Amino acid sequence: MNESKILKKNKVKVKKRKSNEPVELPNNVSFNPYRNYKPPNTSGVSKKRIARDPRFSDFSGKLNIEMFKKSYNFLNEMRNDEVKDIMAAIKINKKHGPDSVKGINALKKIEHLNIGSTDEAKRALDRYKTEKAQLEKNEELRDLKKSLIREEKEKIETTGKKPYYFPDKKVKKLYKEMQKKKIEETMKSTAINYGPNRSIHKKLESKSRRKLPKERKHDAIPKFRDV
């Protein structure tokens, strides 16, 4: 009897929590106010989230670049049409003037491109040309990488060499070397003053003859140097 009395005395009464009272949280658990907190001692199994790496999942399917180009080729057509409209507007405004009826109507046709004047049209045209050059360069880089990978696969099949994976930095370096060789061949060609070679030659010549800051300071004659 005495033992039972002692046990009853040592028992700690657990108060039932009221529904209106705030939840008591332990210090070792960070509280997230944006989710319903579930006390650690409550019954029920929580669903564990399974992490998924999108690089190794097939939800998006395999990327087919050729099919992608064909599907979105209409964007290139739209871009070309916009460039034609801008060039036509610039030409009409140059010929008839920006205050003429034809000039105003030409600018109205390209209002949807946020162009309201001839200067804006010229800036937009320059931007389109820059974007086109960049897209063409990216296309050439992709083709170069494809050819390098194809050659590497053939070498592996024939010689059994260790595979080499071409990083983008290496591909860009090879592309620059190829462009440099093209320019050198153009410079050596006999028809340097005819056709597209003439503009390349003039550009390179102007760059090579450009004065550096030191030469400008001392008024020195610039020497021909590699660009």
Side-chain angles (χ1 to χ4, degrees):
M1 290 293 288
N2 293 330
E3 289 179 2
S4 62
K5 285 180 181 179
I6 292 164
L7 288 169
K8 282 180 182 179
K9 283 181 182 179
N10 292 335
K11 274 187 179 180
V12 180
K13 289 183 179 180
V14 179
K15 291 182 180 180
K16 288 185 179 180
R17 189 176 65 83
K18 293 180 182 179
S19 60
N20 297 331
E21 288 180 356
V23 180
E24 291 182 7
L25 299 177
N27 291 330
N28 60 347
V29 178
S30 59
F31 176 66
N32 185 0
Y34 300 105
R35 70 176 176 85
N36 294 325
Y37 178 74
K38 197 173 185 181
N41 295 330
T42 54
S43 60
V45 181
S46 61
K47 291 182 180 179
K48 189 178 179 182
R49 287 188 179 181
I50 300 168
R52 180 178 67 84
D53 194 338
R55 295 174 297 172
F56 303 105
S57 62
D58 296 329
F59 289 112
S60 302
K62 192 177 179 181
L63 176 62
N64 189 344
I65 295 171
E66 297 300 325
M67 187 64 71
F68 186 84
K69 284 182 194 173
K70 288 177 183 177
S71 301
Y72 290 93
N73 192 37
F74 68 94
L75 293 173
N76 294 329
E77 292 173 1
M78 285 172 63
R79 184 186 291 273
N80 293 333
D81 293 338
E82 287 171 2
V83 170
K84 284 178 184 177
D85 292 339
I86 292 167
M87 288 176 74
I90 292 168
K91 191 176 180 181
I92 290 166
N93 276 273
K94 190 177 180 181
K95 188 176 181 181
H96 300 283
D99 298 327
S100 63
V101 177
K102 288 184 178 179
I104 292 164
N105 290 333
L107 287 172
K108 277 184 179 178
K109 287 182 181 178
I110 54 174
E111 269 184 349
H112 63 283
L113 301 173
N114 296 326
I115 296 170
S117 63
T118 313
D119 293 333
E120 288 179 2
K122 286 177 181 178
R123 284 196 293 271
L125 185 63
D126 291 338
R127 188 173 65 251
Y128 274 109
K129 285 179 179 178
T130 307
E131 288 174 0
K132 187 181 178 183
Q134 187 62 41
L135 289 169
E136 287 175 355
K137 184 183 176 181
N138 293 340
E139 187 68 25
E140 288 174 359
L141 284 167
R142 276 195 292 270
D143 293 339
L144 177 61
K145 192 169 184 178
K146 271 186 186 178
S147 63
L148 290 169
I149 291 167
R150 200 183 304 114
E151 288 173 7
E152 187 68 15
K153 283 181 179 178
E154 289 174 0
K155 286 178 183 177
I156 291 164
E157 288 176 1
T158 53
T159 60
K161 70 183 284 294
K162 190 178 178 181
Y164 177 75
Y165 300 96
F166 289 93
D168 292 338
K169 192 175 181 181
K170 179 73 174 176
V171 175
K172 285 178 182 177
K173 190 177 179 182
L174 291 169
Y175 177 78
K176 281 183 181 178
E177 288 174 1
M178 287 171 67
Q179 293 297 317
K180 193 175 180 182
K181 282 180 183 178
K182 280 183 183 178
I183 292 166
E184 285 174 358
E185 287 173 4
T186 307
M187 294 283 284
K188 290 175 184 177
S189 64
T190 53
I192 200 162
N193 291 319
Y194 298 95
N197 295 341
R198 186 179 180 183
S199 60
I200 295 169
H201 181 256
K202 280 187 174 181
K203 189 177 179 182
L204 289 170
E205 192 176 5
S206 63
K207 279 186 178 181
S208 62
R209 298 292 179 187
R210 188 174 56 212
K211 282 187 177 183
L212 294 172
K214 285 182 180 179
E215 294 170 345
R216 201 180 294 113
K217 186 178 179 182
H218 300 290
D219 198 19
I221 298 167
K223 296 179 181 179
F224 188 85
R225 54 183 172 271
D226 294 331
V227 180

